[in-house]
Amino acid sequence: MPETASRPGKLERDAGRLRATGDWTLPHHARLRKVVGQKHDIHSLDLSGLGELDTSGAVLLAELMGPEHMLDVASWAPDQPAERHALLVTVASAMQHSSPPHPRVSPPVLIALGEVGRSIEGLWRQQVQLLGFIGLTLSSLAAVLLKPWRWRVTALVAHIQQIGLNAIPIVALLTFLVGAVVAFLGATVLQDFGATIYTVNLVAYSFLREFGVLLAAILLAGRTASAFTAQIGSMKANEELDALRAQGLSPMELLVLPRVMAMMVSLPILTLVGMFSGMLGGAMVSAMALDISTTQFLTILQRDIPLRHFLVGLGKAPLFAFVIAVIGCLEGFKASASAQSVGEHTTSSVVQSIFMVILLDALAALFFMEMGW
Amino acid sequence: MVNQATDAIIEIRGLVNRFGQYVVHEGLDLDIRRGEILGVVGGSGTGKSVLLRSIVGLKRPDGGAIRVFGEDLQRLPPTRRARVERRFGVLFQRGALFSSLTLQENVALPLIEHAGLSRADAERLARVKLALAGLPPESALLNPDELSGGMVKRAALARALALDPEVLFLDEPTAGLDPIGAAAFDRLLVTLRDALGFSVFLVTHDLDTLYTVCDRVAVISRKHVLVADALPAVEATDDAWVQDYFHGPRGRAASHAAQRTETR
């Protein structure tokens, strides 16, 4: 009992015979371990002075005597009650089966090298898997596309609500603020040249071509790719994916396609919201700090900015959406049953999808520049 | 164990539990006595697990009192409460092993945190507890997601036993074990109880377990404890559910099996 005062356990040498006295319990374990750890050359042990005994104490006594010897405790310590014999024998026989595992120790240099090799191989394998998964998604899409009765309309609409509609406030707020910041920056730099009026062009160009789609995509990568991974990952942990397959249903068709399609519908809409909201932020700063009225802002927009910038920006949205959704789903499928694994893959899906979005955006910028669009 | 009749370490009086409109327990009374193995049975959804969660303090009761070692857990300050909770060992229905730790770390965690052992000592002790629960030595370094259902149960038992608790709460410990493993589990429970003198609150559907290890059986039905007594008295209770439960084909088989092993 932890509440009652306990006599700490001791090992006493008494005329060449060892006596275990006091309470051999968990609170005294650390000290008793040191006592037991010393070399004792013994063949018998006097248990008559023993107070309380729990499993931790029994383990120590069995280590002291050797588990084999402890198994016939009843013959050399017959004065002890039967329950205590039972405990000592149970613990001793358990200890015979619990040889300490021997973890392999390698030199740190080898560990570091191995770690580098593993991560590079993992990176390569990840790309192969991603390409394979993209192919699988496209082939499932092709199989379903011409069969409207197999479209999961309800799931699609539910996902569009979650991914698209519910994200509108945060996308609008974020792009509005960035729009205001870009306008301020432009005004500060352009003022020296007396060209503050070009702030309008700066804001419009940046938001139509890049920022609208990029900010929306990054937000969705954080908000939705992680959700996809966590949903599918915990479904996998709960064997729901296996249950689907066992019933002859395709997880690709039921889980992945609605998510990918919903993403490809939502991101262009959010991009549009982002573009308008960003330019609104720019217009507000222009009107309040630069004396460019909203009418003037709109006139310049209409006169100077060709439609193709808008199309270039919007055209990237479905591509980004596809990549984000596919990475989110794939990472979910790769998770294993533990909570830690779901967490790791969720992190990985966000990092990967943001990385891919920015990489693709840079490549697209080069391409559009070469094409003169 | 007649003289222990008044030695209740957990007293539940007039317990009320409800989820929204749905009343699970109403006026439930139950005692758990020192050193006994109390089996708790009841149909699905009668709130056996809810009762367990109320006692260990995971669910705040909506009425009534639960006194553990003479103290009301809900009214204790956090540090005193943690000290009382340390005297509990709980095995959850699905194991609830920490999935980011290996088995030996799972068992060693309470030893390091509460008993203040060094890591090496705690892990050595943890390996013995894993072996006690019937797991092979190689399993000590495995992660919980690499285990079969039965091994998860055993590892969870090892963790529940880590601090040598005074009361062990087991939520369907033998569900998902093969019959040989379940019988070994029953024997292990009795051996440890006899040696360590803890009490066991055992929620189970396993009739063999009820017949072979339980000192008393409590039947939960219609939101309260219908009867809590030794098995012969419970079997004789005049209630349709109890009669179906103990005198159905499975109940009879388990009863015969228990008698056979006793006469042998």
Side-chain angles (χ1 to χ4, degrees):
Chain A
M1 309 290 116
E3 302 294 310
T4 53
S6 68
R7 294 179 302 137
K10 279 199 191 102
L11 202 56
E12 292 164 357
R13 193 172 287 275
D14 185 19
R17 197 172 146 80
L18 274 181
R19 265 168 65 85
T21 57
D23 293 346
W24 285 59
T25 51
L26 200 51
H28 310 299
H29 187 88
R31 210 178 35 75
L32 284 169
R33 150 82 45 212
K34 289 201 194 88
V35 177
V36 169
Q38 294 158 8
K39 192 69 190 156
H40 299 282
D41 194 21
I42 54 159
H43 300 288
S44 71
L45 183 65
D46 185 358
L47 298 178
S48 56
L50 201 59
E52 300 259 334
L53 180 71
D54 64 7
T55 42
S56 71
V59 167
L60 290 176
L61 287 177
E63 268 179 30
L64 185 67
M65 295 294 297
E68 299 80 14
H69 199 50
M70 190 53 92
L71 281 178
D72 45 55
V73 58
S75 66
W76 53 263
D79 53 322
Q80 293 293 306
E83 299 94 63
R84 188 156 287 172
H85 285 156
L87 172 64
L88 287 168
V89 168
T90 310
V91 166
S93 64
M95 282 172 72
Q96 282 188 314
H97 300 296
S98 78
S99 59
H102 28 79
R104 271 181 302 160
V105 189
S106 334
V109 180
L110 280 187
I111 294 177
L113 273 178
E115 213 41 57
V116 170
R118 236 195 308 277
S119 20
I120 288 179
E121 198 195 348
L123 209 63
W124 167 246
R125 205 170 282 170
Q126 198 163 321
Q127 301 317 311
V128 173
Q129 262 180 338
L130 181 61
L131 284 176
F133 194 74
I134 289 176
L136 193 60
T137 311
L138 289 178
S139 75
S140 321
L141 185 64
V144 172
L145 205 58
L146 294 178
K147 298 171 185 160
W149 62 92
R150 275 169 68 185
W151 294 356
R152 312 279 160 180
V153 179
T154 318
L156 179 71
V157 174
H159 282 299
I160 290 178
Q161 181 183 355
Q162 266 173 21
I163 303 166
L165 193 64
N166 294 355
I168 285 179
I170 184 74
V171 169
L173 178 67
L174 196 88
T175 46
F176 180 85
L177 293 176
V178 175
V181 170
V182 168
F184 263 123
L185 272 179
T188 319
V189 175
L190 294 172
Q191 203 161 32
D192 298 345
F193 308 99
T196 41
I197 195 74
Y198 284 105
T199 303
V200 180
N201 300 52
L202 181 67
V203 170
Y205 268 85
S206 57
F207 269 87
L208 290 181
R209 285 189 76 107
E210 298 292 342
F211 283 173
V213 61
L214 202 58
L215 288 173
I218 289 175
L219 255 175
L220 281 204
R223 192 178 178 278
T224 311
S226 56
F228 286 178
T229 307
Q231 285 162 1
I232 294 181
S234 44
M235 286 176 84
K236 182 169 181 199
N238 202 16
E239 298 185 358
E240 289 173 52
L241 298 184
D242 298 336
L244 281 178
R245 286 202 190 96
Q247 289 173 336
L249 301 168
S250 152
M252 291 304 291
E253 195 181 319
L254 259 73
L255 302 175
V256 176
L257 285 187
R259 285 177 167 78
V260 171
M261 297 314 293
M263 194 72 157
M264 289 178 72
V265 172
S266 302
L267 188 57
I269 298 175
L270 289 176
T271 300
L272 200 67
V273 170
M275 287 172 175
F276 282 134
S277 169
M279 286 193 292
L280 191 68
M284 194 195 71
V285 168
S286 305
M288 290 169 69
L290 308 176
D291 290 329
I292 303 169
S293 73
T294 313
T295 328
Q296 208 176 352
F297 192 97
L298 286 175
T299 317
I300 298 173
L301 216 57
Q302 205 171 16
R303 192 191 62 205
D304 284 2
I305 316 293
L307 178 68
R308 69 163 197 279
H309 296 309
F310 170 74
L311 293 179
V312 160
L314 201 62
K316 292 187 280 192
L319 177 67
F320 290 176
F322 184 78
V323 170
I324 294 170
V326 163
I327 290 176
C329 292
L330 174 62
E331 288 298 315
F333 279 109
K334 277 155 69 179
S336 66
S338 72
Q340 174 155 10
S341 161
V342 174
E344 275 168 10
H345 284 282
T346 308
T347 311
S348 161
S349 86
V350 173
V351 172
Q352 269 189 68
S353 49
I354 291 181
F355 173 78
M356 287 305 277
V357 162
I358 294 179
L359 182 74
L360 285 176
D361 192 57
L363 291 178
L366 279 178
F367 174 74
F368 290 135
M369 200 175 68
E370 290 297 319
M371 298 299 288
W373 289 349
Chain B
M1 294 189 190
V2 186
N3 58 343
Q4 292 182 342
T6 52
D7 194 6
I9 49 175
I10 296 177
E11 296 168 281
I12 304 163
R13 291 290 174 270
L15 180 72
V16 180
N17 267 317
R18 61 175 88 86
F19 295 103
Q21 293 294 307
Y22 180 67
V23 180
V24 185
H25 300 135
E26 191 147 38
L28 185 144
D29 298 336
L30 186 63
D31 282 351
I32 300 168
R33 299 172 191 163
R34 188 176 298 285
E36 76 169 348
I37 299 184
L38 174 71
V40 177
V41 299
S44 297
T46 47
K48 303 181 294 293
S49 298
V50 177
L51 177 60
L52 189 154
R53 294 174 69 86
S54 315
I55 301 173
V56 298
L58 291 171
K59 184 192 180 304
R60 181 179 277 277
D62 296 297
I66 299 175
R67 299 182 68 77
V68 181
F69 307 117
E71 296 182 284
D72 188 344
L73 269 192
Q74 300 293 344
R75 299 216 180 119
L76 285 183
T79 47
R80 300 253 328 264
R81 183 173 159 163
R83 209 177 308 149
V84 174
E85 283 168 351
R86 216 172 293 170
R87 298 159 76 179
F88 291 156
V90 186
L91 186 156
F92 290 95
Q93 209 162 9
R94 302 209 298 181
L97 295 171
F98 304 122
S99 55
S100 53
L101 303 179
T102 62
L103 288 197
Q104 89 179 21
E105 287 169 335
N106 258 288
V107 182
L109 181 72
L111 291 169
I112 296 172
E113 293 295 322
H114 285 322
L117 298 195
S118 72
R119 197 177 178 83
D121 279 357
E123 291 189 343
R124 188 170 354 190
L125 207 49
R127 283 196 294 274
V128 175
K129 304 244 161 165
L130 287 169
L132 260 185
L135 287 165
E138 316 80 78
S139 65
L141 295 178
L142 293 180
N143 279 316
D145 54 352
E146 297 168 293
L147 300 183
S148 68
M151 287 170 85
V152 167
K153 284 282 163 73
R154 285 161 185 274
L157 177 72
R159 190 179 67 182
L161 288 172
L163 289 173
D164 283 314
E166 289 172 58
V167 193
L168 196 57
F169 294 89
L170 307 176
D171 199 349
E172 306 208 7
T174 51
L177 294 188
D178 62 82
I180 300 169
F185 191 98
D186 291 346
R187 272 199 306 280
L188 173 68
L189 193 61
V190 174
T191 309
L192 290 175
R193 193 275 310 261
D194 289 345
L196 296 169
F198 53 66
S199 319
V200 182
F201 180 96
L202 175 69
V203 173
T204 189
H205 280 303
D206 190 330
L207 286 152
D208 289 312
T209 306
L210 285 181
Y211 278 97
T212 47
V213 308
C214 291
D215 301 315
R216 289 195 310 145
V217 172
V219 179
I220 301 184
S221 180
R222 298 191 292 275
K223 297 168 193 167
H224 64 279
V225 174
L226 206 62
V227 53
D229 210 332
L231 253 175
V234 173
E235 279 179 335
T237 306
D238 185 20
D239 178 85
W241 190 85
V242 175
Q243 291 301 318
D244 274 359
Y245 193 88
F246 288 99
H247 300 291
R250 282 156 183 270
R252 277 202 304 275
S255 166
H256 290 156
Q259 277 161 12
R260 268 203 306 280
T261 44
E262 268 165 30
T263 50
R264 210 175 271 167

